[in-house]
Amino acid sequence: MKKFNIRKVLDGLKEQASSSASSGQSCTQENNLMQETLQSENFQLCKTVRHGFPYQPSSMAHDPVQKILAIGTQSGALRLFGRPGVECYCQHESGAAVISLQFLINEGALVSALADDSVHLWNLRQKRPAILHSLKFNRERITFVHLPFQSKWLYIGTEKGNIHIVNVESFTLSGYVIMWNKAIELSSKAHPGPVVHISDNPMDEGKLIIGYESGIVVLWDLKSKKADYRYTYDEAIHSVAWHHEGKQFICSHSDGTLTIWNIKGQGKPFQTITPHGKQPKDGKKPEPCKPILKVEYKTTRLGDPFMILSGGLSYDTVGRRPCLTVMHGKSTAVLEMDYPIVDFLTLCETPYPNDFQEPYAVVVLLEKDLVVIDLAQNGYPIFENPYPLTIHESPVTCCEYYADCPVDLIPALYSVGSRQKRQGYSKKEWPISGGNWGLGTQSYPEIIITGHADGTVKFWDASAIMLQVLYKLKTAKVFEKSRNNKEEKQNTEIVDEDPFAIQIMAWCPESRMLCVAGVSANLIIYRFSKQEITTEVVQLLEVRLQYEVNDMESPPEGGGGGDRGGGGDRDLPTPGAASPSPQTTGPPTHPSTSSNSSDGVRDNVPCLKVRSTPLKQSSGYQVELVVQLVWVSGEPPQQITSLALNSSYGLIVFGNSNGLAVVDYLQKTVLLNLGTVELYGSNDPYQRQPRSPRKTRQPSGGLCDINEGSASEDRCKSPTSVLALNHQQFYNGSGGRGAKMSRKLSLPTELKPDLVLLSVCPPRGANPLDHRDNSFSRSRSSSVTSIDKEAREAITSFHFCETFARKGDSTITPCLYVGTSLGTVLAVALNLPPAGEQRLLQPVIVLPSGTLGRLKGSILRMAFLDNTGTFLPPAFELWYEPNAVGADSEERDKARKRRPVSVSPSTSQELQESQYAVVCSEKQAKVIALPSQNCIFKHSITETSFVLRADVVQMNIGNCVACFCANGHIMTLSLPGLRPLLDVNYLPLTDMRIARTFCFTNLGQAMYLTSPTEIQRITYSQETCENLQEMLGELFTPVETPEAPNRGFFKGLFGGGATSLDREELFGETQAGKASRGLAQHIPGPQGLEGMKGAASGVVADLARARIALDERGQKLGELDERTAAMLASADSFGKHAHDMMLKCKDKKWYQF
């Protein structure tokens, strides 16, 4: 990823920006007032860590000495797990599926074999593992890989049935090859099929067992280069496993049988077992079952051996979940899994295959989960998984990221979340415990919040590049469970599946207030409490928010993209709390009883039914208020596209393609309910046509059926794909939406990336016509097209602040700024009663105050700076316990009467401009001086693409605007000068998921959902990049390899123990010769710093290896001397005994014996 440093080229950018700005002051004067501290040297982009379950896993390996686990995926990713908090992500460049993984046990290295027939050696002794060597096979396809313990020779089985041998140190092929025809000779007339298994005899390294798919197993003698025995079965083989004594092995077959073979009994199996087959009484073969995909055979010193297998269920168990079967003695336990089994491994006490294995756990890799089963406890309980692998428990639909939160927040969430934990887990420690944590100095609290398709909201502790779930909130509890009444569903619901899916979240970390918007046009406001309560009646507000336009003529110079500020002092209608707009009605404070009118038109009906029974609410987030949009004259409510919360004012504001509503959640009333057009009053710059709500239906916003080609989806496509779209595909001739188009939508609970994404973020303009020229022109000329005439102006962003409501104001007041999909920023003044009791009794007055300015593209983000360039966060209220009693309630009342924390500048400042509004749209960023409303800086972010996410973020030494574009670029702009500081082409091909889940936060942190199951965190801070190496954990730690099993005196004397093989001599070039040149191509690891590190560590490793080899040679010679001495002593003893016996028997007659 190349950093694009544009600093030197753009020295004159400020002058250029000032020339195009409609400012009464010179830019230089403004810039002299505010010295910008951030420079391009403060920014650098790099990935930090990836969290979550590896997406589409394909293989797994475990190092029993280092106690680390490796998982490979179908996209070539490699995830390594040690103790909780130690994990690592690597990626093979080719992106081919990982078909096999083999650890060099306790060596800090890993071999991976891919579906593109390449083999790679990874160095795990560095914090970011790197490839040291690669080998690419050209003529044969790899099907199986085996690396014996403490061996440097890797066996590779191929689709042709041959076996090649690779030296893992040099990654070169040996000339020793086991050809399939030599292995089977005349035992079979046909080709035996691909190699499905290779392993050496635990007691004799010179004997190799080879399993072929067709059912043939060969015991190959490596020294004599011929087959000792061949075993034939008439069913295909899936896996083979040895008994640790090397006298028996077991095969699993495609008909659901297990066959146990004695190595010297060739004719037929010693025993045949069908674990799940029904045994017929007449002695016939049991009915065939599903294939047993894998079997492991593990022995114990004191008890019966374990046979563990996946698959093998009978065919009549239709609909049964995938199972792992554990056979131990006479007991057979069938453990059902939630997802299909990809692979499993048995964890044993010893790494030596020729010793009693003593299994203690089974790691089961499922398609969407990782389960570890405790074999030592009755009932085989599972271990509680400490890794953050449940991100995708229900598909993620939106997420938010907060850095530098209040320090008491994470402990508070953890304390309420710890009470939600399930029971019944194994009492033992998590068995994958290798590696060491990093020593990072980054200590500020970070929280990630994820919203899900089933209505759950999860809070995660993301501090110090770790991730741990803190608390889980189920929002669906507020609503009645939908019955399977299709008629009733069709009447009200606007989504087919997942009606509770979370669409947008607004959270105030200081007050802990939370508001979530769902896809069914509903809002739920939550307060945080440490005490459990029962809510008798859930408070409900129903809002009619509809779109109605009267005939209006466009002004002659209605250029929406103009740079003129102003507009704040126009005459505007002032509908307040007492006078709602004509097309809306006062919202009921209880569930509405009105439903379908006499002519069958649905009216005043919400999409979901709030529960009428008492709601028990445990400690944590508790429902304060539910707000629901209702059907209006047969027109369904539009989904909510923007949302904001302010705890200091006690207000929630939300908007959609129809308009906006302001809700006072303290008094439980709707303060303002306006169509977007009414915010402009008589000065609407756009020509709009009146419409009947029933004639043309708009889609429901964030979630749309993928077949509808919704605007939300189109907006995230590249500009070229948008240009290629045919508008007639979506609209009928009159420009309205086709009546036949289905408006139902479907959000699957399965992880289908392109479908789930459609609900992930606030849609960029819920209007299907709003993508009319998306990223390529967006002209605001006075010649308005027919599409423009029909276009709804959606509300896309909000910002609460204390600022100047109108142009030329001398005092600051609480305000709400509103951004629309047509690029307009409008101000709404808020008149709040005094804090305390008066706040609950007197009404809040809400007053639209005109426009602040216009930009090209939808407004994405607004923020405010004071006259020194310091960021002004919205005012907030500190958290208090809402359910306190006694003395605590007095403290609560004091807290409520306290003046809310306000961060606005002093009004006594005599400067002409005391604040600066920062506004960012899909195309532009502007800095506007207040109260004069002059645009002092303007920057065109992109001409050919459009911005998907923009945030005003605080860095250690200043503020900046961070943008993520649809073309994959990540950019930062200085404040207030809007100088480009960083521009990196991070993701050339942006997919929908990334586009919709990308979040920037303070201190240079960002994140996005890189797959349906994984969160990728990145940093754009130079300081964090420099400290990253220290923060990352270490996978490899120096550990002594356990001692080899004691062979005992008699086994050593008579050769009954394990026999070793000099593989170096057998497979080396001297005896085996050179390998065929065109068979495989050697590729050295990446050159550069990591390669140099690897090379340096390789030299050290070579020296260490040589020393170890010398030590081993000396040790073997010593053992040989001892064995020779023992044999001599034994011979002397035998001779002495024989001589004594001869003397004793010499004089005896034959009949005396």
Side-chain angles (χ1 to χ4, degrees):
M1 193 188 307
K2 192 178 177 183
K3 182 178 174 184
F4 179 51
N5 191 339
I6 202 169
R7 185 168 35 111
K8 295 179 181 178
V9 188
L10 296 166
D11 291 332
L13 186 72
K14 282 182 277 186
E15 287 77 12
Q16 187 183 343
S18 64
S19 65
S20 63
S22 57
S23 172
Q25 292 176 291
S26 68
C27 270
T28 50
Q29 183 185 345
E30 292 291 344
N31 208 37
N32 290 337
L33 290 173
M34 292 168 285
Q35 187 64 40
E36 291 181 2
T37 50
L38 285 173
Q39 303 299 326
S40 57
E41 297 86 42
N42 301 120
F43 294 92
Q44 183 184 339
L45 193 71
C46 69
K47 292 181 180 179
T48 52
V49 68
R50 184 172 290 201
H51 303 294
F53 182 76
Y55 183 55
Q56 294 180 330
S58 55
S59 57
M60 178 172 60
H62 179 252
D63 186 326
V65 180
Q66 286 289 318
K67 295 189 183 298
I68 55 177
L69 185 76
I71 296 175
T73 74
Q74 291 179 26
S75 59
L78 201 57
R79 292 285 296 280
L80 296 138
F81 296 91
R83 65 179 60 193
V86 177
E87 54 183 278
C88 181
Y89 160 75
C90 316
Q91 177 69 46
H92 293 91
E93 275 187 25
S94 68
V98 181
I99 57 172
S100 182
L101 293 169
Q102 295 278 312
F103 274 103
L104 278 68
I105 292 172
N106 206 27
E107 292 282 334
L110 174 74
V111 172
S112 60
L114 307 190
D116 65 353
D117 310 309
S118 60
V119 188
H120 307 271
L121 177 66
W122 290 86
N123 177 15
L124 306 183
R125 291 179 181 242
Q126 53 199 54
K127 289 194 172 184
R128 286 193 180 272
I131 292 175
L132 293 175
H133 300 282
S134 297
L135 199 64
K136 179 78 167 69
F137 280 75
N138 298 322
R139 298 181 195 161
E140 298 194 48
R141 307 223 63 184
I142 297 170
T143 55
F144 195 85
V145 175
H146 171 64
L147 180 67
F149 178 48
Q150 292 183 324
S151 165
K152 69 174 186 179
W153 297 96
L154 177 75
Y155 300 107
I156 295 178
T158 70
E159 198 172 45
K160 288 184 178 177
N162 304 325
I163 293 174
H164 301 280
I165 299 164
V166 174
N167 183 323
V168 291
E169 287 180 350
S170 61
F171 243 56
T172 53
L173 274 172
S174 164
Y176 192 113
V177 182
I178 303 172
M179 304 300 287
W180 69 270
N181 51 355
K182 188 101 185 274
I184 66 162
E185 287 187 339
L186 301 175
S187 62
S188 171
K189 293 178 182 178
H191 189 278
V195 175
V196 294
H197 183 83
I198 309 167
S199 60
D200 48 352
N201 187 319
M203 287 294 181
D204 187 352
E205 293 175 355
K207 300 287 169 51
L208 197 67
I209 205 157
I210 306 162
Y212 292 98
E213 191 180 65
S214 63
I216 298 174
V217 178
V218 175
L219 186 67
W220 181 265
D221 189 314
L222 288 165
K223 284 183 181 175
S224 63
K225 300 184 182 179
K226 65 177 185 180
D228 279 357
Y229 300 102
R230 296 181 184 88
Y231 317 87
T232 306
Y233 193 71
D234 55 2
E235 291 292 338
I237 291 175
H238 284 278
S239 70
V240 183
W242 278 104
H243 186 282
H244 84 275
E245 291 178 346
K247 295 175 183 175
Q248 283 185 336
F249 62 89
I250 184 169
C251 301
S252 73
H253 298 276
S254 58
D255 64 344
T257 58
L258 298 172
T259 53
I260 300 174
W261 302 78
N262 288 328
I263 58 168
K264 293 184 179 177
Q266 299 185 68
K268 60 178 183 178
F270 165 73
Q271 189 181 0
T272 303
I273 308 165
T274 310
H276 297 286
K278 293 176 183 174
Q279 299 290 340
K281 293 178 182 177
D282 53 6
K284 290 182 181 176
K285 281 182 76 175
E287 291 178 9
C289 295
K290 295 173 184 174
I292 297 176
L293 301 175
K294 186 175 181 180
V295 64
E296 292 205 346
Y297 195 12
K298 302 296 179 184
T299 52
T300 57
R301 203 174 294 277
L302 300 174
D304 295 309
F306 282 87
M307 271 193 274
I308 302 161
L309 53 115
S310 64
L313 295 177
S314 60
Y315 281 103
D316 59 4
T317 54
V318 179
R320 189 168 181 179
R321 292 191 293 180
C323 294
L324 186 83
T325 306
V326 180
M327 300 169 71
H328 183 224
K330 292 181 180 178
S331 73
T332 300
V334 181
L335 310 175
E336 287 194 340
M337 301 292 155
D338 290 334
Y339 305 104
I341 297 171
V342 175
D343 197 3
F344 72 88
L345 294 170
T346 310
L347 307 189
C348 301
E349 296 289 354
T350 177
Y352 292 93
N354 59 355
D355 194 9
F356 286 98
Q357 299 297 287
E358 304 294 347
Y360 61 90
V362 183
V363 181
V364 190
L365 178 64
L366 308 176
E367 278 187 5
K368 295 175 187 175
D369 202 2
L370 182 74
V371 175
V372 182
I373 298 160
D374 186 353
L375 290 178
Q377 267 183 259
N378 289 335
Y380 304 130
I382 64 169
F383 288 86
E384 185 177 6
N385 197 322
Y387 304 136
L389 303 183
T390 58
I391 291 167
H392 63 288
E393 197 172 23
S394 171
V396 176
T397 53
C398 58
C399 46
E400 294 295 336
Y401 189 8
Y402 299 87
D404 207 10
C405 300
V407 289
D408 59 342
L409 198 51
I410 288 174
L413 287 165
Y414 182 79
S415 66
V416 294
S418 58
R419 298 169 202 173
Q420 298 177 328
K421 288 191 175 176
R422 281 175 52 195
Q423 303 298 316
Y425 290 112
S426 169
K427 292 170 185 173
K428 293 185 180 174
E429 290 290 317
W430 180 252
I432 302 158
S433 55
N436 283 322
W437 290 306
L439 304 169
T441 53
Q442 185 177 309
S443 57
Y444 51 84
E446 297 172 78
I447 290 177
I448 290 171
I449 309 178
T450 53
H452 299 263
D454 63 353
T456 55
V457 176
K458 289 182 185 176
F459 290 78
W460 305 82
D461 177 6
S463 310
I465 68 168
M466 292 191 185
L467 195 72
Q468 180 185 9
V469 70
L470 292 170
Y471 173 71
K472 181 177 173 181
L473 170 66
K474 296 179 179 177
T475 66
K477 284 183 176 179
V478 177
F479 302 103
E480 297 279 4
K481 288 183 180 176
S482 57
R483 302 189 185 106
N484 293 327
N485 186 340
K486 287 185 181 177
E487 219 171 284
E488 190 179 321
K489 271 192 171 184
Q490 285 170 1
N491 280 344
T492 58
E493 290 187 10
I494 58 172
V495 289
D496 274 339
E497 294 178 33
D498 301 317
F500 309 116
I502 307 297
Q503 184 144 341
I504 319 173
M505 298 177 292
W507 188 51
C508 175
E510 289 80 13
S511 67
R512 305 182 192 172
M513 291 295 297
L514 172 71
C515 183
V516 296
V519 294
S520 298
N522 60 287
L523 282 171
I524 313 174
I525 300 154
Y526 288 93
R527 272 191 195 277
F528 185 85
S529 173
K530 293 180 179 177
Q531 297 181 15
E532 191 175 291
I533 59 163
T534 300
T535 305
E536 295 299 325
V537 179
V538 176
Q539 295 285 322
L540 171 66
L541 281 176
E542 291 183 355
V543 179
R544 289 171 66 90
L545 195 59
Q546 75 183 92
Y547 178 82
E548 195 73 55
V549 180
N550 298 321
D551 272 314
M552 290 183 183
E553 287 302 321
S554 173
E557 295 296 321
D563 297 328
R564 296 191 311 272
D569 51 355
R570 295 169 180 161
D571 294 326
L572 285 168
T574 57
S579 58
S581 55
Q583 82 274 18
T584 60
T585 59
T589 53
H590 54 82
S592 173
T593 52
S594 47
S595 57
N596 294 359
S597 60
S598 57
D599 61 349
V601 175
R602 291 182 285 280
D603 193 53
N604 267 11
V605 188
C607 301
L608 299 174
K609 190 177 179 184
V610 174
R611 65 184 290 165
S612 52
T613 53
L615 176 65
K616 186 179 179 183
Q617 304 199 70
S618 53
S619 57
Y621 275 101
Q622 297 169 352
V623 180
E624 172 91 353
L625 178 67
V626 177
V627 182
Q628 288 186 292
L629 295 181
V630 295
W631 289 66
V632 178
S633 305
E635 178 77 359
Q638 300 296 298
Q639 287 180 345
I640 293 162
T641 59
S642 50
L643 174 67
L645 171 153
N646 189 283
S647 59
S648 173
Y649 308 155
L651 301 180
I652 289 284
V653 59
F654 61 93
N656 61 14
S657 57
N658 286 341
L660 64 89
V662 181
V663 173
D664 181 344
Y665 64 78
L666 298 176
Q667 295 187 25
K668 314 285 191 293
T669 57
V670 178
L671 301 174
L672 185 73
N673 181 354
L674 278 183
T676 318
V677 183
E678 293 172 293
L679 285 169
Y680 290 97
S682 59
N683 294 287
D684 184 5
Y686 306 110
Q687 179 181 354
R688 306 170 202 262
Q689 286 188 341
R691 63 179 286 276
S692 164
R694 290 190 211 174
K695 281 182 187 172
T696 52
R697 286 188 170 185
Q698 303 292 345
S700 42
L703 276 167
C704 296
D705 193 338
I706 192 124
N707 296 322
E708 291 187 11
S710 71
S712 335
E713 182 186 359
D714 298 335
R715 296 193 68 84
C716 293
K717 291 181 180 174
S718 65
T720 49
S721 64
V722 175
L723 277 165
L725 288 172
N726 180 357
H727 287 279
Q728 295 306 317
Q729 183 181 348
F730 303 117
Y731 311 108
N732 57 24
S734 63
R737 187 153 173 88
K740 291 180 182 176
M741 197 73 82
S742 164
R743 66 167 320 284
K744 286 274 184 179
L745 56 101
S746 168
L747 174 69
T749 49
E750 294 172 11
L751 296 166
K752 294 180 183 174
D754 41 356
L755 281 175
V756 172
L757 264 171
L758 294 174
S759 73
V760 163
C761 261
R764 308 257 180 265
N767 150 35
L769 307 154
D770 188 43
H771 76 295
R772 55 201 170 280
D773 53 8
N774 259 331
S775 55
F776 35 93
S777 67
R778 277 280 169 93
S779 168
R780 294 279 180 255
S781 68
S782 56
S783 57
V784 184
T785 66
S786 61
I787 289 180
D788 276 331
K789 288 178 184 177
E790 176 58 16
R792 291 191 186 190
E793 185 172 8
I795 305 293
T796 56
S797 62
F798 294 112
H799 189 78
F800 284 103
C801 51
E802 296 201 0
T803 184
F804 303 94
R806 293 172 179 269
K807 186 174 183 177
D809 276 5
S810 57
T811 56
I812 58 169
T813 55
C815 290
L816 167 67
Y817 273 73
V818 181
T820 76
S821 57
L822 296 184
T824 308
V825 180
L826 300 129
V828 177
L830 307 171
N831 193 340
L832 297 162
E837 288 181 19
Q838 294 297 312
R839 173 65 185 84
L840 301 176
L841 300 172
Q842 295 181 23
V844 178
I845 298 168
V846 183
L847 201 65
S849 306
T851 58
L852 176 69
R854 293 188 190 94
L855 284 77
K856 289 181 184 175
S858 296
I859 303 295
L860 301 179
R861 190 69 59 202
M862 295 171 281
F864 287 80
L865 310 174
D866 69 9
N867 63 311
T868 63
T870 307
F871 179 70
L872 292 174
F876 57 84
E877 181 180 63
L878 293 171
W879 178 79
Y880 60 86
E881 173 55 63
N883 301 318
V885 289
D888 291 337
S889 66
E890 290 176 17
E891 287 294 319
R892 178 193 67 187
D893 293 339
K894 282 180 187 175
R896 294 188 71 164
K897 286 175 185 173
R898 226 181 282 137
R899 180 102 184 128
V901 180
S902 175
V903 284
S904 299
S906 166
T907 54
S908 63
Q909 291 169 347
E910 294 182 2
L911 290 163
Q912 186 178 356
E913 306 291 2
S914 19
Q915 281 189 3
Y916 300 95
V918 181
V919 186
C920 189
S921 75
E922 290 178 321
K923 295 284 188 179
Q924 292 180 312
K926 283 186 183 182
V927 174
I928 299 167
L930 298 175
S932 70
Q933 296 191 356
N934 290 324
C935 176
I936 58 166
F937 293 108
K938 180 175 116 176
H939 178 71
S940 178
I941 300 170
T942 174
E943 290 294 337
T944 57
S945 184
F946 54 98
V947 179
L948 291 163
R949 176 81 184 210
D951 287 286
V952 176
V953 292
Q954 296 169 271
M955 305 292 283
N956 278 330
I957 57 169
N959 308 308
C960 67
V961 179
C963 305
F964 175 55
C965 284
N967 59 10
H969 281 251
I970 290 177
M971 292 177 270
T972 59
L973 307 172
S974 70
L975 282 177
L978 300 179
R979 289 180 300 113
L981 298 173
L982 175 79
D983 187 348
V984 176
N985 189 2
Y986 176 65
L987 290 166
L989 294 172
T990 303
D991 71 7
M992 283 283 290
R993 179 179 302 101
I994 296 168
R996 295 302 188 87
T997 57
F998 204 102
C999 300
F1000 291 104
T1001 188
N1002 294 333
L1003 302 169
Q1005 306 297 330
M1007 63 152 280
Y1008 58 90
L1009 216 68
T1010 186
S1011 75
T1013 63
E1014 295 167 291
I1015 285 173
Q1016 177 68 56
R1017 288 165 69 182
I1018 61 174
T1019 182
Y1020 48 97
S1021 159
Q1022 173 69 31
E1023 185 184 352
T1024 308
C1025 287
E1026 287 174 357
N1027 297 331
L1028 186 59
Q1029 199 68 13
E1030 288 178 23
M1031 294 161 68
L1032 292 171
E1034 286 183 286
L1035 283 165
F1036 180 80
T1037 49
V1039 180
E1040 287 279 326
T1041 303
E1043 284 188 19
N1046 189 2
R1047 291 181 295 174
F1049 174 75
F1050 289 105
K1051 283 187 177 178
L1053 180 62
F1054 299 111
T1059 56
S1060 60
L1061 171 76
D1062 189 348
R1063 294 189 180 96
E1064 188 70 45
E1065 183 186 340
L1066 191 63
F1067 301 145
E1069 199 172 304
T1070 311
Q1071 191 167 330
K1074 287 188 176 181
S1076 170
R1077 184 169 290 180
L1079 182 62
Q1081 176 191 358
H1082 177 259
I1083 305 162
Q1087 299 304 308
L1089 187 62
E1090 294 295 351
M1092 285 163 64
K1093 281 182 187 172
S1097 66
V1099 171
V1100 174
D1102 286 341
L1103 290 169
R1105 227 177 267 119
R1107 192 172 65 248
I1108 291 165
L1110 283 170
D1111 290 346
E1112 285 177 354
R1113 187 176 172 82
Q1115 191 179 345
K1116 284 178 181 174
L1117 286 170
E1119 285 177 6
L1120 189 62
D1121 285 345
E1122 286 172 17
R1123 192 169 170 183
T1124 307
M1127 287 176 72
L1128 281 170
S1130 178
D1132 287 344
S1133 175
F1134 182 74
K1136 189 180 176 185
H1137 281 296
H1139 185 67
D1140 289 346
M1141 185 66 77
M1142 183 268 292
L1143 291 173
K1144 190 177 178 181
C1145 302
K1146 187 172 71 172
D1147 297 329
K1148 289 188 178 182
K1149 302 293 182 185
W1150 65 269
Y1151 52 82
Q1152 291 175 313
F1153 284 100

